[in-house]
Amino acid sequence: MKKTKIKTKLSKRQKRNTIIYILLVILGSFIFTGLFAYAIGILEGERITFWLLFSFFGMFFIVSMLFFPVLVIAVVLGLQKGRARRINKDVEFVPVENITYYRDTVKCLSPAMFSILVDLDLYGQKDVVATLLSMHKKKAIAFADNGDIQIAPTISSTLDSSEVELKRLIERRSLNDKFSLKAWKNNRFIEAEKNGYIFKNNDSTYKKSMIRLAVIWIISLIVAGGIWTHIMTSISMTTDTFVESMVWYLIMDIFIFVPTYILARHAAYRKRGDVVWQRTALGNEMSEKIAGLQHFIKDFSNLADASKEQLALWDEYLMYAVILEENKKIIRDICKANNLNLQKFKYLGDLY
Amino acid sequence: MGLYIVLGCITLILIVLTIYVIKTYNALVVGRNKVNTQWAQIHVQLMRKSELIPNLLEAVQAYVSHEKDIFKHVADARQSLQSALTPSQSIKANEQLTSVLSRLMALAEEYPELKSNANYLDLQANLKESEDKIAYARQFYNDTVLLYSNKLHQFPSNIISKMFHFPAMEYYDITNA
């Protein structure tokens, strides 16, 4: 059956970012070419339309002549593309029943398991806050009037392992500690694997392909360096040889851009090295229900405006809304009241 | 030349207006359909609840056969719920049924043998599940009505809604039932 995607805010943002980068490069080159032409006075006395045309065509040449910017553009676009592919791949699942709306709750899933099945990842803020809401519902913690988290004196036996571990972090006041949260996150993946929702797909070919791509990249850079030396030493920049030198610049850029882009894309796509998590049949089934729930919450509720006091009214649905980023108000309120500076777990791509 | 510019502007305005009317009309239709869909969800749960009643009555009657009045009230309330044609009638009938059922449950509390009857406990759990589902469906229904009502009354979409006679939808409000 055809794969379907759970739409997350992060997955929706990917295409837009790439387009913005490309537009910025085009606009920057356009302005640079115009200013360059103005500075050297080659268009003095020409009409504005001619100037614009010159800038439009000139920008391609300007970009192609610059060795270093091409490298940077290739790295940025490659990382961006790789990251987008990874994110889009992670939200993809194989539907079983083609559910459009799922109106029931998935009580068998803890907030952390729910979140992993959304996009095969966990994020500090929303997922911790959703787990806190679940603990509050089970009366393991309480929110004071000023929003402070208070631990209940009696331990609730209904808490699942993600909640027990988080309770321990609250007791130790280490919710802001990124290493503790990282451990919490890793344990959730182990838990999801044990529950049969995901499995580890060890791809041994990853390192080999990275080495192969790196070798091709180095060779390409050496070739590009050779072409550059050839342009500098053998072609004099006169009007007659202008087109010829531009052709050589373009060939040099292809040697720089293509391998750099592919290498960066490959590195960003494999965010966790040679370990790739994938959904099992059960994971796909649950992800389909989650996607149906997301459509239902989005189309039939006003949960975006709900506050944490409405947890009694909405139960699990409010937690789902937090995890699916349909409600950001609660995340803001809880984090602010408890001075929580929850680290966002990062993709490699988030570093740029 | 001036005439062409004026004609061009008028055409452009008409095109924009037409697109706006079509978009708003479609949004209102979608909103109305969503409200109806959500009401259908409540209706399904109400019918499920009413279908549990005969078995419940049977289970209780085996132990409390002399309380004929309350059985009649329950049966009547169930009948009203099943024959309700509009949401407001259904809401009212459901409130009556819930009220009379709580009296029946209170009565059943006095019979320890009935309280420990597996069939009765199972029906009670099913009834509770139905009530929970009705409660959630009611919240979603009210949210959908709110979103639809906002479109219905906000300017300028209220002009389109009046033009095409889009009906106002009522909230599922327990206190008014």
Side-chain angles (χ1 to χ4, degrees), chain A residues 301-318:
Chain A
S301 84
N302 215 6
L303 280 168
D305 297 331
S307 61
K308 65 179 185 301
E309 286 72 27
Q310 285 175 283
L311 183 62
L313 191 68
W314 287 103
D315 278 355
E316 281 84 5
Y317 289 106
L318 197 55

Side-chain angles (χ1 to χ4, degrees), chain A residues 151-163:
Chain A
I151 293 186
T154 52
I155 298 167
S156 171
S157 57
T158 54
L159 291 185
D160 65 39
S161 50
S162 68
E163 292 160 342

Side-chain angles (χ1 to χ4, degrees), chain B residues 69-86:
Chain B
D69 255 13
I70 196 153
F71 295 133
K72 189 180 177 304
H73 283 134
V74 174
D76 287 348
R78 176 180 179 263
Q79 182 59 37
S80 326
L81 180 61
Q82 288 200 316
S83 57
L85 297 172
T86 62

Side-chain angles (χ1 to χ4, degrees), chain A residues 185-204:
Chain A
K185 177 193 174 186
N186 290 340
N187 288 344
R188 300 294 65 79
F189 276 92
I190 295 165
E191 191 187 336
E193 194 183 16
K194 263 187 199 166
N195 290 341
Y197 298 128
I198 55 173
F199 68 97
K200 212 182 274 180
N201 185 10
N202 285 315
D203 187 356
S204 55

Side-chain angles (χ1 to χ4, degrees), chain A residues 142-176:
Chain A
F143 295 112
D145 289 342
N146 60 359
D148 271 357
I149 301 168
Q150 294 170 340
I151 293 186
T154 52
I155 298 167
S156 171
S157 57
T158 54
L159 291 185
D160 65 39
S161 50
S162 68
E163 292 160 342
V164 171
E165 274 182 45
L166 204 66
K167 191 165 175 269
R168 230 172 278 148
L169 290 185
I170 301 168
E171 282 165 345
R172 292 206 305 255
R173 297 186 179 280
S174 47
L175 263 184
N176 279 333

Side-chain angles (χ1 to χ4, degrees), chain B residues 92-127:
Chain B
K92 205 172 174 185
N94 181 47
E95 286 304 307
Q96 277 172 357
L97 183 62
T98 308
S99 149
V100 79
L101 273 178
S102 60
R103 274 166 54 204
L104 183 75
M105 295 299 181
L107 188 72
E109 286 294 305
E110 292 167 20
Y111 297 85
E113 281 179 10
L114 174 61
K115 268 170 70 183
S116 56
N117 180 292
N119 189 27
Y120 173 73
L121 288 174
D122 189 37
L123 284 165
Q124 209 179 18
N126 279 337
L127 207 57

Side-chain angles (χ1 to χ4, degrees), chain A residues 103 296 300 302 313-315, chain B residues 38 136 139-140 143 146:
Chain A
R103 296 162 198 274
F296 181 55
F300 293 101
N302 215 6
L313 191 68
W314 287 103
D315 278 355
Chain B
Q38 268 320 101
Y136 285 125
Q139 283 156 221
F140 282 112
D143 269 2
L146 173 72

